[in-house]
PDB file of all heavy atoms in Angstrom:
ATOM      1  N   GLY R  15      18.980  24.379  -2.447  1.00  0.00           N
ATOM      2  CA  GLY R  15      19.848  25.541  -2.487  1.00  0.00           C
ATOM      3  C   GLY R  15      19.026  26.773  -2.846  1.00  0.00           C
ATOM      4  O   GLY R  15      18.124  26.744  -3.702  1.00  0.00           O
ATOM      5  N   SER R  16      19.263  27.886  -2.130  1.00  0.00           N
ATOM      6  CA  SER R  16      18.558  29.130  -2.375  1.00  0.00           C
ATOM      7  C   SER R  16      19.602  30.262  -2.477  1.00  0.00           C
ATOM      8  O   SER R  16      20.719  30.098  -2.075  1.00  0.00           O
ATOM      9  CB  SER R  16      17.523  29.429  -1.282  1.00  0.00           C
ATOM     10  OG  SER R  16      18.217  29.870  -0.087  1.00  0.00           O
ATOM     11  N   PRO R  17      19.181  31.425  -2.984  1.00  0.00           N
ATOM     12  CA  PRO R  17      20.130  32.544  -3.049  1.00  0.00           C
ATOM     13  C   PRO R  17      20.707  32.924  -1.702  1.00  0.00           C
ATOM     14  O   PRO R  17      21.796  33.469  -1.611  1.00  0.00           O
ATOM     15  CB  PRO R  17      19.290  33.701  -3.644  1.00  0.00           C
ATOM     16  CG  PRO R  17      18.189  32.986  -4.399  1.00  0.00           C
ATOM     17  CD  PRO R  17      17.885  31.754  -3.643  1.00  0.00           C
ATOM     18  N   ARG R  18      19.975  32.606  -0.614  1.00  0.00           N
ATOM     19  CA  ARG R  18      20.460  32.965   0.717  1.00  0.00           C
ATOM     20  C   ARG R  18      21.232  31.843   1.397  1.00  0.00           C
ATOM     21  O   ARG R  18      21.800  32.028   2.469  1.00  0.00           O
ATOM     22  CB  ARG R  18      19.233  33.320   1.592  1.00  0.00           C
ATOM     23  CG  ARG R  18      18.460  34.535   1.111  1.00  0.00           C
ATOM     24  CD  ARG R  18      17.247  34.781   1.984  1.00  0.00           C
ATOM     25  NE  ARG R  18      17.600  34.950   3.397  1.00  0.00           N
ATOM     26  CZ  ARG R  18      17.270  34.120   4.358  1.00  0.00           C
ATOM     27  NH1 ARG R  18      16.556  33.041   4.095  1.00  0.00           N
ATOM     28  NH2 ARG R  18      17.595  34.335   5.607  1.00  0.00           N
ATOM     29  N   GLY R  19      21.272  30.684   0.793  1.00  0.00           N
ATOM     30  CA  GLY R  19      21.976  29.553   1.392  1.00  0.00           C
ATOM     31  C   GLY R  19      21.133  28.287   1.372  1.00  0.00           C
ATOM     32  O   GLY R  19      20.071  28.230   0.768  1.00  0.00           O
ATOM     33  N   LEU R  20      21.598  27.268   2.075  1.00  0.00           N
ATOM     34  CA  LEU R  20      20.929  25.973   2.084  1.00  0.00           C
ATOM     35  C   LEU R  20      19.746  26.007   3.032  1.00  0.00           C
ATOM     36  O   LEU R  20      19.841  26.437   4.182  1.00  0.00           O
ATOM     37  CB  LEU R  20      21.922  24.882   2.556  1.00  0.00           C
ATOM     38  CG  LEU R  20      21.367  23.462   2.602  1.00  0.00           C
ATOM     39  CD1 LEU R  20      21.138  22.929   1.226  1.00  0.00           C
ATOM     40  CD2 LEU R  20      22.328  22.581   3.366  1.00  0.00           C
ATOM     41  N   VAL R  21      18.606  25.563   2.526  1.00  0.00           N
ATOM     42  CA  VAL R  21      17.415  25.428   3.363  1.00  0.00           C
ATOM     43  C   VAL R  21      16.872  24.016   3.196  1.00  0.00           C
ATOM     44  O   VAL R  21      17.112  23.353   2.177  1.00  0.00           O
ATOM     45  CB  VAL R  21      16.313  26.457   2.985  1.00  0.00           C
ATOM     46  CG1 VAL R  21      16.762  27.861   3.367  1.00  0.00           C
ATOM     47  CG2 VAL R  21      15.993  26.424   1.475  1.00  0.00           C
ATOM     48  N   VAL R  22      16.128  23.529   4.203  1.00  0.00           N
ATOM     49  CA  VAL R  22      15.645  22.145   4.180  1.00  0.00           C
ATOM     50  C   VAL R  22      14.136  22.152   4.500  1.00  0.00           C
ATOM     51  O   VAL R  22      13.748  21.921   5.646  1.00  0.00           O
ATOM     52  CB  VAL R  22      16.410  21.237   5.185  1.00  0.00           C
ATOM     53  CG1 VAL R  22      16.003  19.797   5.014  1.00  0.00           C
ATOM     54  CG2 VAL R  22      17.925  21.419   5.016  1.00  0.00           C
ATOM     55  N   PRO R  23      13.266  22.389   3.529  1.00  0.00           N
ATOM     56  CA  PRO R  23      11.849  22.330   3.755  1.00  0.00           C
ATOM     57  C   PRO R  23      11.407  20.849   3.952  1.00  0.00           C
ATOM     58  O   PRO R  23      12.052  19.940   3.518  1.00  0.00           O
ATOM     59  CB  PRO R  23      11.246  22.906   2.445  1.00  0.00           C
ATOM     60  CG  PRO R  23      12.310  22.699   1.427  1.00  0.00           C
ATOM     61  CD  PRO R  23      13.617  22.841   2.148  1.00  0.00           C
ATOM     62  N   ILE R  24      10.311  20.696   4.661  1.00  0.00           N
ATOM     63  CA  ILE R  24       9.890  19.387   5.121  1.00  0.00           C
ATOM     64  C   ILE R  24       8.655  18.870   4.396  1.00  0.00           C
ATOM     65  O   ILE R  24       7.646  19.578   4.278  1.00  0.00           O
ATOM     66  CB  ILE R  24       9.587  19.412   6.648  1.00  0.00           C
ATOM     67  CG1 ILE R  24      10.729  20.061   7.414  1.00  0.00           C
ATOM     68  CG2 ILE R  24       9.297  17.976   7.148  1.00  0.00           C
ATOM     69  CD1 ILE R  24      12.056  19.371   7.296  1.00  0.00           C
ATOM     70  N   ILE R  25       8.741  17.655   3.879  1.00  0.00           N
ATOM     71  CA  ILE R  25       7.569  16.970   3.306  1.00  0.00           C
ATOM     72  C   ILE R  25       6.932  16.147   4.412  1.00  0.00           C
ATOM     73  O   ILE R  25       7.464  15.147   4.895  1.00  0.00           O
ATOM     74  CB  ILE R  25       7.978  16.040   2.154  1.00  0.00           C
ATOM     75  CG1 ILE R  25       8.617  16.843   1.044  1.00  0.00           C
ATOM     76  CG2 ILE R  25       6.735  15.291   1.633  1.00  0.00           C
ATOM     77  CD1 ILE R  25       9.064  15.973  -0.135  1.00  0.00           C
ATOM     78  N   ARG R  26       5.797  16.608   4.917  1.00  0.00           N
ATOM     79  CA  ARG R  26       5.116  15.956   6.077  1.00  0.00           C
ATOM     80  C   ARG R  26       4.435  14.656   5.641  1.00  0.00           C
ATOM     81  O   ARG R  26       3.865  14.564   4.547  1.00  0.00           O
ATOM     82  CB  ARG R  26       4.066  16.871   6.667  1.00  0.00           C
ATOM     83  CG  ARG R  26       4.541  18.321   6.952  1.00  0.00           C
ATOM     84  CD  ARG R  26       5.346  18.402   8.178  1.00  0.00           C
ATOM     85  NE  ARG R  26       5.839  19.780   8.406  1.00  0.00           N
ATOM     86  CZ  ARG R  26       6.700  20.133   9.309  1.00  0.00           C
ATOM     87  NH1 ARG R  26       7.213  19.216  10.127  1.00  0.00           N
ATOM     88  NH2 ARG R  26       7.072  21.381   9.445  1.00  0.00           N
ATOM     89  N   ASN R  27       4.498  13.645   6.493  1.00  0.00           N
ATOM     90  CA  ASN R  27       3.843  12.359   6.247  1.00  0.00           C
ATOM     91  C   ASN R  27       4.161  11.849   4.850  1.00  0.00           C
ATOM     92  O   ASN R  27       3.282  11.447   4.096  1.00  0.00           O
ATOM     93  CB  ASN R  27       2.329  12.498   6.440  1.00  0.00           C
ATOM     94  CG  ASN R  27       1.950  12.945   7.859  1.00  0.00           C
ATOM     95  OD1 ASN R  27       2.456  12.430   8.836  1.00  0.00           O
ATOM     96  ND2 ASN R  27       1.068  13.917   7.944  1.00  0.00           N
ATOM     97  N   ALA R  28       5.420  11.847   4.508  1.00  0.00           N
ATOM     98  CA  ALA R  28       5.863  11.471   3.171  1.00  0.00           C
ATOM     99  C   ALA R  28       5.450  10.057   2.814  1.00  0.00           C
ATOM    100  O   ALA R  28       5.199   9.747   1.642  1.00  0.00           O
ATOM    101  CB  ALA R  28       7.384  11.608   3.044  1.00  0.00           C
ATOM    102  N   ASP R  29       5.383   9.163   3.813  1.00  0.00           N
ATOM    103  CA  ASP R  29       5.007   7.782   3.539  1.00  0.00           C
ATOM    104  C   ASP R  29       3.562   7.637   3.108  1.00  0.00           C
ATOM    105  O   ASP R  29       3.194   6.618   2.470  1.00  0.00           O
ATOM    106  CB  ASP R  29       5.243   6.906   4.786  1.00  0.00           C
ATOM    107  CG  ASP R  29       4.534   7.457   6.027  1.00  0.00           C
ATOM    108  OD1 ASP R  29       4.538   8.693   6.236  1.00  0.00           O
ATOM    109  OD2 ASP R  29       3.939   6.652   6.760  1.00  0.00           O
ATOM    110  N   GLN R  30       2.747   8.649   3.378  1.00  0.00           N
ATOM    111  CA  GLN R  30       1.329   8.561   3.018  1.00  0.00           C
ATOM    112  C   GLN R  30       1.026   9.283   1.697  1.00  0.00           C
ATOM    113  O   GLN R  30      -0.126   9.302   1.226  1.00  0.00           O
ATOM    114  CB  GLN R  30       0.495   9.203   4.133  1.00  0.00           C
ATOM    115  CG  GLN R  30       0.665   8.520   5.477  1.00  0.00           C
ATOM    116  CD  GLN R  30      -0.120   9.188   6.580  1.00  0.00           C
ATOM    117  OE1 GLN R  30      -1.096   9.914   6.318  1.00  0.00           O
ATOM    118  NE2 GLN R  30       0.310   9.003   7.836  1.00  0.00           N
ATOM    119  N   LEU R  31       2.042   9.869   1.074  1.00  0.00           N
ATOM    120  CA  LEU R  31       1.854  10.613  -0.158  1.00  0.00           C
ATOM    121  C   LEU R  31       2.219   9.766  -1.367  1.00  0.00           C
ATOM    122  O   LEU R  31       3.050   8.870  -1.290  1.00  0.00           O
ATOM    123  CB  LEU R  31       2.696  11.885  -0.160  1.00  0.00           C
ATOM    124  CG  LEU R  31       2.484  12.893   0.961  1.00  0.00           C
ATOM    125  CD1 LEU R  31       3.423  14.082   0.790  1.00  0.00           C
ATOM    126  CD2 LEU R  31       1.024  13.372   1.002  1.00  0.00           C
ATOM    127  N   SER R  32       1.558  10.074  -2.491  1.00  0.00           N
ATOM    128  CA  SER R  32       1.894   9.395  -3.756  1.00  0.00           C
ATOM    129  C   SER R  32       3.139  10.071  -4.351  1.00  0.00           C
ATOM    130  O   SER R  32       3.559  11.147  -3.913  1.00  0.00           O
ATOM    131  CB  SER R  32       0.740   9.515  -4.731  1.00  0.00           C
ATOM    132  OG  SER R  32       0.543  10.837  -5.119  1.00  0.00           O
ATOM    133  N   ILE R  33       3.751   9.460  -5.347  1.00  0.00           N
ATOM    134  CA  ILE R  33       4.871  10.040  -6.010  1.00  0.00           C
ATOM    135  C   ILE R  33       4.492  11.383  -6.642  1.00  0.00           C
ATOM    136  O   ILE R  33       5.281  12.335  -6.595  1.00  0.00           O
ATOM    137  CB  ILE R  33       5.444   9.075  -7.073  1.00  0.00           C
ATOM    138  CG1 ILE R  33       6.108   7.868  -6.381  1.00  0.00           C
ATOM    139  CG2 ILE R  33       6.453   9.794  -7.997  1.00  0.00           C
ATOM    140  CD1 ILE R  33       6.694   6.860  -7.344  1.00  0.00           C
ATOM    141  N   ALA R  34       3.299  11.460  -7.200  1.00  0.00           N
ATOM    142  CA  ALA R  34       2.829  12.738  -7.803  1.00  0.00           C
ATOM    143  C   ALA R  34       2.743  13.839  -6.734  1.00  0.00           C
ATOM    144  O   ALA R  34       3.148  14.980  -6.986  1.00  0.00           O
ATOM    145  CB  ALA R  34       1.483  12.516  -8.481  1.00  0.00           C
ATOM    146  N   GLU R  35       2.200  13.489  -5.586  1.00  0.00           N
ATOM    147  CA  GLU R  35       2.067  14.507  -4.520  1.00  0.00           C
ATOM    148  C   GLU R  35       3.469  14.945  -4.030  1.00  0.00           C
ATOM    149  O   GLU R  35       3.664  16.124  -3.705  1.00  0.00           O
ATOM    150  CB  GLU R  35       1.238  13.940  -3.377  1.00  0.00           C
ATOM    151  CG  GLU R  35      -0.227  13.749  -3.711  1.00  0.00           C
ATOM    152  CD  GLU R  35      -0.985  12.991  -2.649  1.00  0.00           C
ATOM    153  OE1 GLU R  35      -0.388  12.028  -2.059  1.00  0.00           O
ATOM    154  OE2 GLU R  35      -2.159  13.295  -2.407  1.00  0.00           O
ATOM    155  N   ILE R  36       4.388  14.035  -3.941  1.00  0.00           N
ATOM    156  CA  ILE R  36       5.747  14.363  -3.515  1.00  0.00           C
ATOM    157  C   ILE R  36       6.421  15.275  -4.523  1.00  0.00           C
ATOM    158  O   ILE R  36       7.064  16.261  -4.187  1.00  0.00           O
ATOM    159  CB  ILE R  36       6.569  13.073  -3.322  1.00  0.00           C
ATOM    160  CG1 ILE R  36       6.040  12.309  -2.097  1.00  0.00           C
ATOM    161  CG2 ILE R  36       8.053  13.415  -3.099  1.00  0.00           C
ATOM    162  CD1 ILE R  36       6.635  10.924  -1.934  1.00  0.00           C
ATOM    163  N   GLU R  37       6.269  14.945  -5.826  1.00  0.00           N
ATOM    164  CA  GLU R  37       6.863  15.788  -6.854  1.00  0.00           C
ATOM    165  C   GLU R  37       6.278  17.190  -6.841  1.00  0.00           C
ATOM    166  O   GLU R  37       6.995  18.188  -7.063  1.00  0.00           O
ATOM    167  CB  GLU R  37       6.667  15.133  -8.240  1.00  0.00           C
ATOM    168  CG  GLU R  37       7.437  13.869  -8.451  1.00  0.00           C
ATOM    169  CD  GLU R  37       8.940  14.092  -8.600  1.00  0.00           C
ATOM    170  OE1 GLU R  37       9.360  15.252  -8.600  1.00  0.00           O
ATOM    171  OE2 GLU R  37       9.688  13.097  -8.710  1.00  0.00           O
ATOM    172  N   LYS R  38       4.994  17.318  -6.597  1.00  0.00           N
ATOM    173  CA  LYS R  38       4.367  18.608  -6.506  1.00  0.00           C
ATOM    174  C   LYS R  38       4.930  19.415  -5.315  1.00  0.00           C
ATOM    175  O   LYS R  38       5.222  20.654  -5.457  1.00  0.00           O
ATOM    176  CB  LYS R  38       2.855  18.488  -6.373  1.00  0.00           C
ATOM    177  CG  LYS R  38       2.151  18.025  -7.629  1.00  0.00           C
ATOM    178  CD  LYS R  38       0.642  17.891  -7.416  1.00  0.00           C
ATOM    179  CE  LYS R  38      -0.056  17.415  -8.695  1.00  0.00           C
ATOM    180  NZ  LYS R  38      -1.521  17.197  -8.486  1.00  0.00           N
ATOM    181  N   LYS R  39       5.112  18.776  -4.179  1.00  0.00           N
ATOM    182  CA  LYS R  39       5.659  19.435  -3.013  1.00  0.00           C
ATOM    183  C   LYS R  39       7.099  19.930  -3.268  1.00  0.00           C
ATOM    184  O   LYS R  39       7.479  21.050  -2.922  1.00  0.00           O
ATOM    185  CB  LYS R  39       5.646  18.466  -1.830  1.00  0.00           C
ATOM    186  CG  LYS R  39       4.376  18.506  -1.014  1.00  0.00           C
ATOM    187  CD  LYS R  39       4.258  19.858  -0.299  1.00  0.00           C
ATOM    188  CE  LYS R  39       2.998  19.920   0.570  1.00  0.00           C
ATOM    189  NZ  LYS R  39       2.815  21.270   1.174  1.00  0.00           N
ATOM    190  N   ILE R  40       7.892  19.080  -3.909  1.00  0.00           N
ATOM    191  CA  ILE R  40       9.285  19.442  -4.199  1.00  0.00           C
ATOM    192  C   ILE R  40       9.355  20.633  -5.146  1.00  0.00           C
ATOM    193  O   ILE R  40      10.140  21.557  -4.960  1.00  0.00           O
ATOM    194  CB  ILE R  40      10.044  18.235  -4.771  1.00  0.00           C
ATOM    195  CG1 ILE R  40      10.166  17.149  -3.710  1.00  0.00           C
ATOM    196  CG2 ILE R  40      11.430  18.658  -5.281  1.00  0.00           C
ATOM    197  CD1 ILE R  40      10.743  15.838  -4.237  1.00  0.00           C
ATOM    198  N   ALA R  41       8.496  20.634  -6.163  1.00  0.00           N
ATOM    199  CA  ALA R  41       8.442  21.730  -7.109  1.00  0.00           C
ATOM    200  C   ALA R  41       8.002  23.047  -6.419  1.00  0.00           C
ATOM    201  O   ALA R  41       8.555  24.092  -6.654  1.00  0.00           O
ATOM    202  CB  ALA R  41       7.488  21.412  -8.270  1.00  0.00           C
TER     203      ALA R  41
END
């Protein structure tokens, strides 16, 4: 959710990332 509405950013190659890398991307 953003001030302008719903947006859906993409985590590329999520299966190849660690949980730490995913959490960093989400943040």
Side-chain angles (χ1 to χ4, degrees):
S16 74
R18 297 177 57 246
L20 180 71
V21 291
V22 187
I24 310 300
I25 299 179
R26 312 282 179 188
N27 301 314
D29 55 316
Q30 300 176 23
L31 301 180
S32 67
I33 289 179
E35 291 171 323
I36 292 171
E37 291 289 355
K38 288 179 181 178
K39 270 293 181 184
I40 294 173

